[in-house]
Amino acid sequence: MPLSGRTLPVSSELRWLLDHWQSDGRWPVPEAPRPTSAIVLIRDTPEGLELFITRQLDARGVEDRNRWAFPTSSLRPGDVRKLPLAGWNSARCARALSIENKSRALHHFSAAARITFAATGILLAEDVDREIVAAPQTDWRSTRSRLFSNEVSWSQVLRERDLRLRPDLCKPWLRWINTPTQLHRFDTTFFIATVPFGQDVDFLSPNETSGGWKRPGQILAEVGGDPNSIGAAARLIVESLAEVTSVGAAMAQIRNVHPLRPEIINDDGDWKVVIQTGKDPHSKGSLRDRGIAVGESDTDQNPGFLTFSGDDDDDDNTDEESEDS
């Protein structure tokens, strides 16, 4: 389905905000979108491809906001400081995201791997024997909780256990920058990844009520056209995986990760989100988003310790779901 010019309904939460701002005659000054990463785990089953999807906690003061979503987190300095790295280097990560800022690209990959481990227990890393980790230690639930609370950094977790991040196990799937009318804005890169052999999902999250495996068709049938049940970005991802037959087919796709920037319109009193891409995000090819992604040049290093300035002190970011329309 071509997505250029596609319209979707807005959630009741956003509709209330839009009505309030319109009646007041003053629109908010858009904040700069916060860079975030999200993970979509996929697996093969006899019935077809399944993806791991979660249910968000209700927002304060909003009833029944238990929407389908994917584990998401803001970027943290500890994602890349003294990061043990194998497989791809930061330059390869930048090429995969079609951006020029190598450190930012690696940061997105690392944050995606961190939230994967924190939320699902799946570890996208290799050990000292250069083997992909097959069975994470059973005592890592406490470590994962400390990752959520930012008591420990992701790079520190890897270093202390002689592990190296494998960015090549994550595949960029879609980049979404939510509308300027949101109270909180996010620039989210969604990645897909499969569960390494020998590992099993162990769901843990302070931000979601539950998580589980579902086929894309099941999710779409359950949510119907209700924007309160699933956000626009999550819907696009589920739709894009509905026709994918296997993990191999998904990982082999060439994705256009040029960011989608939805707009809000009022159509005869009915608020709608409009996606005008000029390109179907399911099609192959890529474009560089020079206006956002071009940043300072950094010295790339080969796999090993990728060191950035500063120590592993924590910042004040906490994991949170990025809101879309």
Side-chain angles (χ1 to χ4, degrees):
M1 178 186 299
L3 295 179
S4 181
R6 181 177 178 181
T7 62
L8 293 171
V10 303
S11 65
S12 58
E13 181 182 357
L14 180 56
R15 185 183 304 113
W16 182 90
L17 286 171
L18 293 167
D19 288 341
H20 173 75
W21 286 324
Q22 185 180 56
S23 63
D24 192 46
R26 292 184 299 176
W27 294 88
V29 177
E31 67 175 25
R34 180 187 304 176
T36 60
S37 289
I39 192 68
V40 184
L41 289 178
I42 58 176
R43 72 177 183 183
D44 288 323
T45 72
E47 290 76 28
L49 189 75
E50 288 185 339
L51 51 86
F52 190 84
I53 193 165
T54 65
R55 301 297 295 269
Q56 289 180 325
L57 286 172
D58 289 347
R60 185 182 306 170
V62 180
E63 296 180 357
D64 300 326
R65 191 182 176 273
N66 201 284
R67 299 194 299 173
W68 294 110
F70 298 104
T72 305
S73 176
S74 300
L75 309 190
R76 299 177 179 175
D79 293 332
V80 290
R81 288 175 177 162
K82 302 177 184 177
L83 177 68
L85 190 64
W88 288 2
N89 57 22
S90 60
R92 183 63 184 85
C93 292
R95 290 196 296 272
L97 291 180
S98 298
I99 64 177
E100 294 187 353
N101 189 326
K102 294 182 286 184
S103 60
R104 172 59 63 84
L106 178 62
H107 210 155
H108 274 289
F109 276 87
S110 187
R114 169 174 51 81
I115 194 60
T116 302
F117 178 61
T120 69
I122 298 303
L123 194 53
L124 304 174
E126 68 176 37
D127 58 25
V128 293
D129 297 320
R130 298 185 178 179
E131 298 288 340
I132 297 176
V133 175
Q137 300 173 13
T138 56
D139 64 344
W140 276 5
R141 264 201 160 222
S142 61
T143 300
R144 292 164 57 197
S145 296
R146 294 176 68 200
L147 275 174
F148 272 118
S149 60
N150 217 356
E151 297 174 44
V152 65
S153 73
W154 174 228
S155 58
Q156 181 182 350
V157 169
L158 294 172
R159 293 198 314 271
E160 289 179 349
R161 291 158 178 79
D162 292 326
L163 301 174
R164 296 186 177 206
L165 175 68
R166 286 284 302 271
D168 57 307
L169 299 181
C170 293
K171 181 180 181 63
W173 195 256
L174 183 143
R175 183 177 170 192
W176 177 269
I177 303 175
N178 62 356
T179 67
T181 53
Q182 305 290 145
L183 285 178
H184 302 289
R185 297 198 67 206
F186 300 92
D187 179 352
T188 306
T189 300
F190 291 85
F191 296 81
I192 66 168
T194 188
V195 178
F197 178 79
Q199 297 192 42
D200 295 303
V201 169
D202 175 30
F203 180 66
L204 174 68
S205 175
N207 304 313
E208 290 90 19
T209 57
S210 61
W213 293 98
K214 282 186 173 290
R215 295 193 301 277
Q218 290 178 305
I219 299 170
L220 295 174
E222 289 185 27
V223 302
D226 183 9
N228 296 316
S229 297
I230 191 169
R235 179 184 291 276
L236 296 185
I237 290 169
V238 174
E239 289 178 352
S240 69
L241 290 168
E243 302 301 323
V244 178
T245 57
S246 67
V247 167
M251 300 302 284
Q253 278 199 19
I254 301 175
R255 299 289 299 179
N256 177 7
V257 289
H258 187 70
L260 299 182
R261 294 186 181 86
E263 300 174 352
I264 295 293
I265 64 168
N266 190 321
D267 184 15
D268 293 329
D270 186 17
W271 296 105
K272 294 181 180 179
V273 57
V274 181
I275 306 167
Q276 295 178 344
T277 66
K279 274 200 172 188
D280 187 329
H282 307 169
S283 67
K284 71 179 187 177
S286 61
L287 295 172
R288 283 183 174 169
D289 180 25
R290 301 188 64 89
I292 290 180
V294 174
E296 73 282 0
S297 61
D298 53 277
T299 302
D300 186 49
Q301 300 185 23
N302 291 324
F305 279 103
L306 192 66
T307 304
F308 290 83
S309 61
D311 301 320
D312 278 325
D313 52 323
D314 297 327
D315 66 351
D316 60 357
N317 288 337
T318 56
D319 293 312
E320 58 185 298
E321 291 286 349
S322 60
E323 298 183 15
D324 54 35
S325 302

